[in-house]
Amino acid sequence: AAFLALIASYIYLQIADSPIPAKRAFLMVLCIFIALILQQRINSKRVIAASMLAIIFYNPYIIFNIGFQLSFLAVFILATIYDDFKFKISSKFLRYFCEIILISIVMQIISLPFILHGIGNLALYGFIANILAIPLASFFIMPLGFLSFFLMPLNLEKHVLLLMNEGILWLEKIINFVNDIPYASLMMPHISSFGFILSILAIALILFHKSYLRYLGILLFLSSFLTLKFDKKPDLIFDKDQKFFASFD
């Protein structure tokens, strides 16, 4: 079953055109299923780290890609939350949504240095979108897409895909609704390279240590934002295609 699931995962990776999150997910699935086949224990953070190193060895320049950085940061945060924190809520339904809210807020806080360094635009109400979008994608859109593959040989997939399309349209409506809330998106100052490196060190201490070093990590993380005052604004900036530029007067 694990071997067949690996083949199915690889086919799905190719259908998705192999974006970074899909590569990460496939490599993690590969590590987990190999561990299952060999009857070995699975350490979630080691699986994530092995997948990250495999992608870096294939293309070292990928470490500068913001999508790569945020994708792996997100799964490391997920692993830490599920390893270290237990939700003591009896209702599974309520616990599910509490987990979405907590994980979204924690991700937003920890990813802030990456946003300030690479994007500069903070989506303030991301957790609201996640409360609605994650269940819609998990329990409606993705299952319908999966079901359509089994119906394609029978030429019966049309109505399932039309229903899936309605789910995607609702997903867009959720995103647009949250984006239209006042102050949903904030332009943020740029964090210096020194502050960014300091925050990465701090995040590593927070995510990978359970001792007092985690508290040191929190202190360093907060300190990294103090470097915002010392960041020198550029005199001249270009867009990536060098078609537009701005100068500071």
Side-chain angles (χ1 to χ4, degrees):
F3 182 72
L4 291 174
L6 274 176
I7 295 173
S9 299
Y10 182 75
I11 292 170
Y12 184 77
L13 175 69
Q14 297 305 312
I15 291 171
D17 201 26
S18 304
I20 292 169
K23 285 179 181 175
R24 183 211 71 222
F26 173 74
L27 288 169
M28 287 173 62
V29 167
L30 177 64
C31 291
I32 290 167
F33 282 154
I34 288 173
L36 286 173
I37 291 167
L38 299 176
Q39 296 183 337
Q40 298 295 314
R41 287 183 62 193
I42 298 167
N43 182 301
S44 57
K45 290 179 182 177
R46 289 180 181 176
V47 167
I48 299 166
S51 304
M52 182 175 71
L53 287 172
I55 292 175
I56 291 172
F57 282 136
Y58 181 74
N59 178 13
Y61 293 104
I62 200 76
I63 63 170
F64 300 107
N65 183 292
I66 187 71
F68 170 84
Q69 295 166 5
L70 292 176
S71 179
F72 276 96
L73 179 65
V75 287
F76 272 124
I77 293 170
L78 278 171
T80 301
I81 289 175
Y82 280 107
D83 285 350
D84 298 351
F85 299 98
K86 305 300 178 187
F87 295 90
K88 297 179 180 179
I89 301 172
S90 57
S91 170
K92 289 184 179 180
F93 180 80
L94 187 60
R95 185 167 67 241
Y96 175 76
F97 286 98
C98 287
E99 286 176 357
I100 291 175
I101 294 169
L102 176 64
I103 290 167
S104 298
I105 292 173
V106 170
M107 281 186 181
Q108 196 152 339
I109 293 170
I110 295 184
S111 64
L112 190 56
F114 293 84
I115 301 295
L116 296 184
H117 187 72
I119 300 174
N121 191 5
L122 178 64
L124 202 57
Y125 303 129
F127 70 95
I128 296 176
N130 286 344
I131 292 170
L132 302 170
I134 291 175
L136 178 62
S138 300
F139 300 116
F140 188 78
I141 296 172
M142 294 303 291
L144 288 174
F146 193 66
L147 178 61
S148 69
F149 282 111
F150 292 98
L151 297 177
M152 281 178 186
L154 304 173
N155 202 26
L156 297 173
E157 77 280 5
K158 178 181 177 182
H159 297 293
V160 173
L161 289 175
L162 286 173
L163 197 58
M164 180 184 176
N165 183 60
E166 286 298 316
I168 294 170
L169 292 175
W170 273 102
L171 194 64
E172 290 181 353
K173 288 178 182 177
I174 290 169
I175 294 167
N176 291 330
F177 168 75
V178 174
N179 281 338
D180 289 339
I181 299 174
Y183 307 108
S185 181
L186 300 177
M187 292 300 295
M188 303 293 288
H190 182 265
I191 194 170
S192 67
S193 295
F194 173 75
F196 183 52
I197 293 169
L198 186 64
S199 69
I200 292 173
L201 174 62
I203 290 167
L205 291 174
I206 293 168
L207 296 182
F208 303 122
H209 286 275
K210 296 183 180 180
S211 64
Y212 68 92
L213 288 174
R214 179 170 282 179
Y215 298 105
L216 175 62
I218 293 171
L219 183 63
L220 288 175
F221 183 79
L222 296 173
S223 301
S224 67
F225 295 103
L226 297 176
T227 63
L228 288 170
K229 293 185 66 175
F230 305 105
D231 184 47
K232 186 180 181 299
K233 301 295 183 290
D235 296 316
L236 189 66
I237 56 173
F238 289 88
D239 77 329
K240 63 178 182 178
D241 298 320
Q242 299 185 10
K243 293 180 180 178
F244 300 97
F245 68 92
S247 61
F248 178 73
D249 186 351

